[in-house]
Amino acid sequence: MNALNSSTAPAGEYAGDEVSAIVLDPGYNTTRAGFAGEDVPKSVCPTFYGYIDSDSGPQYLFGENAIHNPQANLQIKNPWGADGIVEDWDTATKLWQYAITSRLTGPRERPPIRSSANEQNGSGNRDPDAMDVDVEVAVESTEKPLEDSPLLMTEPGWNPTKAREKAIEIAMEEWGTPAFYLQKTGVLAAFASGKASGIIIDVGASHTSVTPVLDGMVLKKGVQKSPLAGNFVSSQIRLLFKQAQPEIQITPHYLVKSKTAVDAGAPAQAVYRSFDPPPHSSFRHHEEDRVLTEFKESVVEVWPGPQRLSVGPNEEIAKSQPGRPFEMPDGWNQVFGIERFKAAEGLFDASAAQTDAEHPRPKDEHTIPKLVQAALASVDADQRPMLLANIVVTGGSTLLYKFNDRLLAELNAMYPSTRNKIIAPGSIVERKYAAWIGGSILASLGSFHQLWISKKEYEEHGVNIVEKRCR
Amino acid sequence: MPPFKDEQIIIIAPGSETTLAQLGLPESFTPARLRVRSRMFPAEKQGEWEPYKVRRKQATPGETSEKPADATNGAETVNGDDEVEYEEDRVTEEGAVWPIKEGKIVNWSCFFALITHVYNSLNPPFHTPILLIAQPGWTPREHEKLTQFFFEKFKTPAFSILDAAMATSWAYGVHTATIVDVGKDKVDVTAISEFIPHTQGRVIALSGCGGEALTQGLFAKLQSKGFTREMCEQLKKSPICEILPAGTPLPGTEGAAAQDTKPAAAASTGAPGSGPAAAVATIGNAPGGPVEDTEVGDDTIPEEHEGVLDVASIVAGGKMNEYLAKKEKEKQEKANAKKKGGEAPATAAKPVRLPNSKREKATFMYEDHALLDTLKNMNLGSKGVAEAQAALDEGRKRSQDGAGDGEPSSAVDANDSGSGAIRREIEVGVERFMAADDGVLERISDAIHRAISSVDEVNKRSELWDSLIVCGNGGRVRGFKEALLSTIQSRYVISPSSATIFTSEIPSNITTPAGTGANTPQPQLPPHGGPSQVNPLLLAATTAQNPYLPPGGNPLIPGMPGLNAHSSHGQTPTSVKLVRPPEYFPEWKEVGFDESAFLGAQVAAKVIFVVDQGQSKGYMTRPDYNDQGPTGIHDYSL
């Protein structure tokens, strides 16, 4: 335990405040990073990155500015795999490092003598965004970026041992952090809402997870995940557009030079831009997602219940609701009536999801109500009422209009005898970054300091210390 | 009694190109008194810096001048040989190091030297609080570093860091705005709502979009005609360079001829009360280049220039006299032609004076620093240089009074001008309208769209679109703001016609609301949305005919105030507007609000150092620093 002092000492040197700990909350859509003790992450950087396979070797482009710039042959990739675990560790490391250095710490400046000594392990980390800075700085930025900041990282509830060990290895070896800790997003999201126990429903971009937490500990066997989340809603919208008569084209902003106002449903009259050579098709897909995000924000609505959309007269009622207009970047516009309810219905009702050959019907057990049910089934029966009274809702996709109404309706239908209470932070920032905020709170607690895994301990025990210490 | 007086306060605003500074707040806020090019020259000793290029005087004939940067043995010479003399060259930028690139500090020792130079130039008394304007690209760690530097180097009694975008919003006196700061190599877009900048979606240092990109745009077009980058830079700053709104035909094309009947709104620079445009217009109407008898404005005589001569190489090649003779001859011919033109003024079809955007060709004065450098390096001795300079200078007669109004319009420092640079007249065609042709405006407008779309509170977005502020010297080019606005207009604004709610699905009869079955409260406007932000017809339709649809999206979920509620028109922008610059700063009105961050800094400095007196922890004092160290700086800001 006394080895911890090495990590707390540099922070204590100034004011005793642990502001120098960094909290990193990597997600599929964005990577959040910031200093512990602050209320929002200072750095929110897209997890998507640009990749150009040029003659002079592959080129990686990080950051918001780079991935929206229609460059020739630009591919947009994501280091996360389909199962909600990081797949491409090399790029993920660079990307996370970019998220930390670009907005939090800045490139490190060291006398040239030292930096050349450490060049071997750092040379791969060169930040391509900073390519045009002069050589001196490029060398400096290859210094280990976190040498004086302890790092608290988040992980999904289903993170396998291998991935956890990889995380500590990166933090310790590549970034040189003096202390490290790994915590599950579910626990942190609960902390952010001031709860030590509860059931956490996190609807993110790639995955929805349901995590039962008891006294700050994740009940591992109860953790549920499913791919029905934000990206699923986007693909549902795409399917709806495809099945519409006539088919609705999504033209992203970058292809439009100027648009002209047209009547609803009339074909677009826009001046288009062409690119030669054009960016990769993945770039277009990513830009289309931007339009879909706007669509989700302004049009999509979750059918509020109490029953499913397909039950009884609900569909008729939904049809009678006034539609909401939406205009595409090319000027095409239309009013969306029932369609806007259908896009998100699949989250709750697998049989209502839009399907085609490539998008089979989602599994019933992947819908959010079923996930909650499965999670609760693995918990002691006498704990269930307590958990149901603390349902913490987090993740960007829960911002869908009327999502919480529907969720509560579904839960009340399944558990009519308990007092079900949804805890959803009103502030959007808190809802989107709940896990990060929980991490910020945790890492700035005085009592947390005994939990850090110090560099010394890591060197003594190796990577598997993370399994022992971070439960 | 406030702890600090107005005249004690120092404000420093470092930029990639120009660093602004001032000691003391005047009664009425003025543009920065000290303007320094943000560059230093490496001194002979490694790690030390000089504010001006130090050139070795040609005392010993055998010794050729060399750059001090690589004169590593120079120090020995100084010790051994007393005859070596040095002179400061206050004009040249040869070998300069620019410590800030794209808003980021890339060379800290140089940067600190620059700040020290600025500080010493201000010659402050001891008791001076300092307000530093921070670029958005500076990280929190860098703020700490700067704090440490300022306290330890200058022993300042109080220090504060203010974000450039925040400073701009102070200048305009608005709490919600989208600040588009067009710098040298980058653009920053910051959405500020209710005094809080949105850090998450902030577009920081969007590269390839600043003033330099415009210069490069010109260069790409004009390179084939023999223009150098420096010429393009000066062309960009001259009033004849202009960015026309998207879709405006260039003069000399057929579209332009067709449009001739319509008064060119953009060209008349009648942009609503925008000071800078007006200021530029005055310059533009009487271009300060009365060379001989030719007035630049009227010079439409076609000339058979194959391009621009590289005078520097001619001079270096020792053919200066031939060149001068040829020039003299040309001048003579021109005068003759002019006379001829005067004899036949009956060609009334040609309007006397076309606005710039209608003329195919125009000329501007080029200050040839490269030529001057060449001369200086030619061992002519100071007298020879002066003579050659006088012979080559076409704009010699240009009176210095131009400096009065033109001072801020050119980024060449007031204190650096008067250098006697050699001026030449250069003619350009329609290329001068193509500075932004390679998509600069598109990229900036996309960045604005991204920045505003990332503001989580959907209902604040339309207000942000309606309060754009375009500042920064990169956007000084004539017509830039208007063209940017028109680009956004044509690409992003949601047309009201999409609200086709009348034609389709208004329910004729209201059934029992399904959902919660609760009594929906009467619709009311969203808290932040005035009626102006939504289509009024749409609003009327929805509120009058269907009371069950809350237009403001008044969700019934307890504990969730309608922050993310749908507004009647979910999409933004439905309109885009620029914020009008404040009226009550006469000195700023003259020169324009491109450096409004500095104005805002003065306002802020007055507030935090004098009015507030530290009660809201607006600045860090020396005792605070001693207690908390550099990391404490994050606790001190308004």
Side-chain angles (χ1 to χ4, degrees), chain B residues 210-233:
Chain B
E212 181 62 30
L214 299 178
T215 307
Q216 290 300 335
L218 288 172
F219 187 46
K221 294 276 181 322
L222 289 166
Q223 196 172 14
S224 55
K225 302 202 172 168
F227 277 63
T228 62
R229 196 207 145 272
E230 180 57 30
M231 285 179 193
C232 293
E233 175 75 21

mmCIF file of all heavy atoms in Angstrom, chain B residues 210-233:
data_model
loop_
_atom_site.group_PDB
_atom_site.id
_atom_site.type_symbol
_atom_site.label_atom_id
_atom_site.label_comp_id
_atom_site.label_asym_id
_atom_site.label_seq_id
_atom_site.Cartn_x
_atom_site.Cartn_y
_atom_site.Cartn_z
ATOM 1 N N GLY B 210 -7.492 29.413 -42.977
ATOM 2 C CA GLY B 210 -7.303 30.789 -42.520
ATOM 3 C C GLY B 210 -6.844 31.701 -43.625
ATOM 4 O O GLY B 210 -6.984 31.418 -44.819
ATOM 5 N N GLY B 211 -6.267 32.815 -43.218
ATOM 6 C CA GLY B 211 -5.792 33.784 -44.182
ATOM 7 C C GLY B 211 -4.716 33.212 -45.081
ATOM 8 O O GLY B 211 -4.644 33.525 -46.266
ATOM 9 N N GLU B 212 -3.902 32.350 -44.510
ATOM 10 C CA GLU B 212 -2.830 31.766 -45.314
ATOM 11 C C GLU B 212 -3.410 30.911 -46.447
ATOM 12 O O GLU B 212 -2.868 30.906 -47.554
ATOM 13 C CB GLU B 212 -1.932 30.911 -44.401
ATOM 14 C CG GLU B 212 -0.761 30.254 -45.097
ATOM 15 C CD GLU B 212 0.219 31.255 -45.691
ATOM 16 O OE1 GLU B 212 0.339 32.369 -45.136
ATOM 17 O OE2 GLU B 212 0.845 30.927 -46.703
ATOM 18 N N ALA B 213 -4.507 30.238 -46.163
ATOM 19 C CA ALA B 213 -5.126 29.419 -47.207
ATOM 20 C C ALA B 213 -5.610 30.304 -48.354
ATOM 21 O O ALA B 213 -5.543 29.903 -49.517
ATOM 22 C CB ALA B 213 -6.287 28.629 -46.627
ATOM 23 N N LEU B 214 -6.077 31.498 -48.010
ATOM 24 C CA LEU B 214 -6.516 32.413 -49.063
ATOM 25 C C LEU B 214 -5.325 32.854 -49.907
ATOM 26 O O LEU B 214 -5.398 32.912 -51.131
ATOM 27 C CB LEU B 214 -7.213 33.624 -48.447
ATOM 28 C CG LEU B 214 -8.464 33.314 -47.630
ATOM 29 C CD1 LEU B 214 -9.037 34.574 -47.031
ATOM 30 C CD2 LEU B 214 -9.505 32.641 -48.493
ATOM 31 N N THR B 215 -4.237 33.154 -49.211
ATOM 32 C CA THR B 215 -3.030 33.520 -49.946
ATOM 33 C C THR B 215 -2.610 32.381 -50.867
ATOM 34 O O THR B 215 -2.277 32.598 -52.030
ATOM 35 C CB THR B 215 -1.894 33.823 -48.965
ATOM 36 O OG1 THR B 215 -2.348 34.788 -48.027
ATOM 37 C CG2 THR B 215 -0.688 34.361 -49.688
ATOM 38 N N GLN B 216 -2.641 31.189 -50.329
ATOM 39 C CA GLN B 216 -2.245 30.043 -51.144
ATOM 40 C C GLN B 216 -3.207 29.856 -52.311
ATOM 41 O O GLN B 216 -2.803 29.439 -53.389
ATOM 42 C CB GLN B 216 -2.192 28.774 -50.296
ATOM 43 C CG GLN B 216 -1.053 28.738 -49.286
ATOM 44 C CD GLN B 216 0.315 28.832 -49.941
ATOM 45 O OE1 GLN B 216 0.482 28.468 -51.096
ATOM 46 N NE2 GLN B 216 1.301 29.332 -49.209
ATOM 47 N N GLY B 217 -4.480 30.146 -52.052
ATOM 48 C CA GLY B 217 -5.464 30.054 -53.125
ATOM 49 C C GLY B 217 -5.119 30.994 -54.264
ATOM 50 O O GLY B 217 -5.190 30.632 -55.435
ATOM 51 N N LEU B 218 -4.715 32.207 -53.889
ATOM 52 C CA LEU B 218 -4.303 33.165 -54.911
ATOM 53 C C LEU B 218 -3.031 32.695 -55.596
ATOM 54 O O LEU B 218 -2.878 32.781 -56.812
ATOM 55 C CB LEU B 218 -4.056 34.540 -54.274
ATOM 56 C CG LEU B 218 -5.283 35.323 -53.823
ATOM 57 C CD1 LEU B 218 -4.847 36.546 -53.044
ATOM 58 C CD2 LEU B 218 -6.116 35.734 -55.018
ATOM 59 N N PHE B 219 -2.149 32.196 -54.774
ATOM 60 C CA PHE B 219 -0.849 31.773 -55.294
ATOM 61 C C PHE B 219 -1.024 30.666 -56.321
ATOM 62 O O PHE B 219 -0.398 30.680 -57.394
ATOM 63 C CB PHE B 219 0.014 31.311 -54.116
ATOM 64 C CG PHE B 219 1.424 31.000 -54.491
ATOM 65 C CD1 PHE B 219 2.158 31.851 -55.297
ATOM 66 C CD2 PHE B 219 2.044 29.857 -54.011
ATOM 67 C CE1 PHE B 219 3.460 31.572 -55.634
ATOM 68 C CE2 PHE B 219 3.349 29.564 -54.336
ATOM 69 C CZ PHE B 219 4.053 30.429 -55.155
ATOM 70 N N ALA B 220 -1.912 29.729 -56.007
ATOM 71 C CA ALA B 220 -2.129 28.613 -56.923
ATOM 72 C C ALA B 220 -2.616 29.119 -58.274
ATOM 73 O O ALA B 220 -2.266 28.584 -59.325
ATOM 74 C CB ALA B 220 -3.149 27.641 -56.330
ATOM 75 N N LYS B 221 -3.443 30.169 -58.219
ATOM 76 C CA LYS B 221 -3.991 30.693 -59.454
ATOM 77 C C LYS B 221 -2.972 31.558 -60.207
ATOM 78 O O LYS B 221 -3.001 31.658 -61.422
ATOM 79 C CB LYS B 221 -5.220 31.544 -59.156
ATOM 80 C CG LYS B 221 -6.381 30.764 -58.598
ATOM 81 C CD LYS B 221 -7.181 30.148 -59.712
ATOM 82 C CE LYS B 221 -8.390 29.369 -59.259
ATOM 83 N NZ LYS B 221 -8.271 28.593 -58.049
ATOM 84 N N LEU B 222 -2.111 32.224 -59.454
ATOM 85 C CA LEU B 222 -1.268 33.245 -60.074
ATOM 86 C C LEU B 222 0.178 32.811 -60.245
ATOM 87 O O LEU B 222 0.971 33.543 -60.828
ATOM 88 C CB LEU B 222 -1.314 34.520 -59.220
ATOM 89 C CG LEU B 222 -2.644 35.274 -59.275
ATOM 90 C CD1 LEU B 222 -2.730 36.290 -58.174
ATOM 91 C CD2 LEU B 222 -2.817 35.937 -60.624
ATOM 92 N N GLN B 223 0.487 31.661 -59.727
ATOM 93 C CA GLN B 223 1.868 31.211 -59.782
ATOM 94 C C GLN B 223 2.381 31.177 -61.216
ATOM 95 O O GLN B 223 3.492 31.595 -61.513
ATOM 96 C CB GLN B 223 1.965 29.811 -59.172
ATOM 97 C CG GLN B 223 3.368 29.411 -58.835
ATOM 98 C CD GLN B 223 3.367 28.114 -58.059
ATOM 99 O OE1 GLN B 223 2.368 27.408 -58.004
ATOM 100 N NE2 GLN B 223 4.480 27.797 -57.452
ATOM 101 N N SER B 224 1.509 30.743 -62.100
ATOM 102 C CA SER B 224 1.925 30.616 -63.489
ATOM 103 C C SER B 224 2.218 31.974 -64.105
ATOM 104 O O SER B 224 2.886 32.072 -65.119
ATOM 105 C CB SER B 224 0.830 29.910 -64.284
ATOM 106 O OG SER B 224 -0.381 30.619 -64.120
ATOM 107 N N LYS B 225 1.714 33.026 -63.489
ATOM 108 C CA LYS B 225 1.968 34.360 -64.024
ATOM 109 C C LYS B 225 3.156 35.026 -63.347
ATOM 110 O O LYS B 225 3.325 36.232 -63.455
ATOM 111 C CB LYS B 225 0.725 35.221 -63.846
ATOM 112 C CG LYS B 225 -0.468 34.605 -64.522
ATOM 113 C CD LYS B 225 -1.547 35.585 -64.828
ATOM 114 C CE LYS B 225 -2.600 34.895 -65.673
ATOM 115 N NZ LYS B 225 -3.801 35.681 -65.781
ATOM 116 N N GLY B 226 3.877 34.274 -62.606
ATOM 117 C CA GLY B 226 5.096 34.813 -62.036
ATOM 118 C C GLY B 226 4.925 35.469 -60.684
ATOM 119 O O GLY B 226 5.835 36.135 -60.205
ATOM 120 N N PHE B 227 3.789 35.300 -60.087
ATOM 121 C CA PHE B 227 3.596 35.877 -58.766
ATOM 122 C C PHE B 227 4.322 35.034 -57.721
ATOM 123 O O PHE B 227 4.365 33.818 -57.815
ATOM 124 C CB PHE B 227 2.108 35.919 -58.407
ATOM 125 C CG PHE B 227 1.393 37.109 -58.978
ATOM 126 C CD1 PHE B 227 1.304 37.275 -60.338
ATOM 127 C CD2 PHE B 227 0.823 38.055 -58.148
ATOM 128 C CE1 PHE B 227 0.646 38.373 -60.877
ATOM 129 C CE2 PHE B 227 0.160 39.147 -58.679
ATOM 130 C CZ PHE B 227 0.081 39.303 -60.047
ATOM 131 N N THR B 228 4.838 35.699 -56.735
ATOM 132 C CA THR B 228 5.394 34.969 -55.603
ATOM 133 C C THR B 228 4.357 34.929 -54.508
ATOM 134 O O THR B 228 3.331 35.605 -54.566
ATOM 135 C CB THR B 228 6.645 35.662 -55.061
ATOM 136 O OG1 THR B 228 6.268 36.957 -54.606
ATOM 137 C CG2 THR B 228 7.708 35.778 -56.120
ATOM 138 N N ARG B 229 4.645 34.125 -53.504
ATOM 139 C CA ARG B 229 3.732 34.017 -52.392
ATOM 140 C C ARG B 229 3.552 35.370 -51.712
ATOM 141 O O ARG B 229 2.461 35.766 -51.327
ATOM 142 C CB ARG B 229 4.278 33.010 -51.377
ATOM 143 C CG ARG B 229 3.263 32.555 -50.394
ATOM 144 C CD ARG B 229 3.888 32.117 -49.082
ATOM 145 N NE ARG B 229 3.006 32.487 -48.014
ATOM 146 C CZ ARG B 229 3.011 33.648 -47.397
ATOM 147 N NH1 ARG B 229 3.863 34.560 -47.727
ATOM 148 N NH2 ARG B 229 2.156 33.915 -46.450
ATOM 149 N N GLU B 230 4.663 36.084 -51.571
ATOM 150 C CA GLU B 230 4.616 37.376 -50.897
ATOM 151 C C GLU B 230 3.739 38.361 -51.670
ATOM 152 O O GLU B 230 2.972 39.132 -51.093
ATOM 153 C CB GLU B 230 6.048 37.910 -50.749
ATOM 154 C CG GLU B 230 6.180 39.248 -50.061
ATOM 155 C CD GLU B 230 5.569 39.283 -48.657
ATOM 156 O OE1 GLU B 230 5.556 38.212 -47.996
ATOM 157 O OE2 GLU B 230 5.103 40.343 -48.245
ATOM 158 N N MET B 231 3.812 38.297 -52.981
ATOM 159 C CA MET B 231 2.960 39.169 -53.788
ATOM 160 C C MET B 231 1.502 38.842 -53.539
ATOM 161 O O MET B 231 0.665 39.731 -53.395
ATOM 162 C CB MET B 231 3.267 38.974 -55.267
ATOM 163 C CG MET B 231 4.551 39.621 -55.716
ATOM 164 S SD MET B 231 4.785 39.267 -57.454
ATOM 165 C CE MET B 231 6.467 39.763 -57.653
ATOM 166 N N CYS B 232 1.198 37.544 -53.487
ATOM 167 C CA CYS B 232 -0.189 37.142 -53.268
ATOM 168 C C CYS B 232 -0.655 37.598 -51.894
ATOM 169 O O CYS B 232 -1.805 38.012 -51.720
ATOM 170 C CB CYS B 232 -0.318 35.631 -53.388
ATOM 171 S SG CYS B 232 -0.009 35.062 -55.050
ATOM 172 N N GLU B 233 0.252 37.509 -50.934
ATOM 173 C CA GLU B 233 -0.097 37.941 -49.593
ATOM 174 C C GLU B 233 -0.506 39.412 -49.610
ATOM 175 O O GLU B 233 -1.519 39.802 -49.027
ATOM 176 C CB GLU B 233 1.122 37.727 -48.674
ATOM 177 C CG GLU B 233 0.966 38.245 -47.262
ATOM 178 C CD GLU B 233 0.079 37.364 -46.408
ATOM 179 O OE1 GLU B 233 -0.086 36.175 -46.780
ATOM 180 O OE2 GLU B 233 -0.452 37.841 -45.398
#
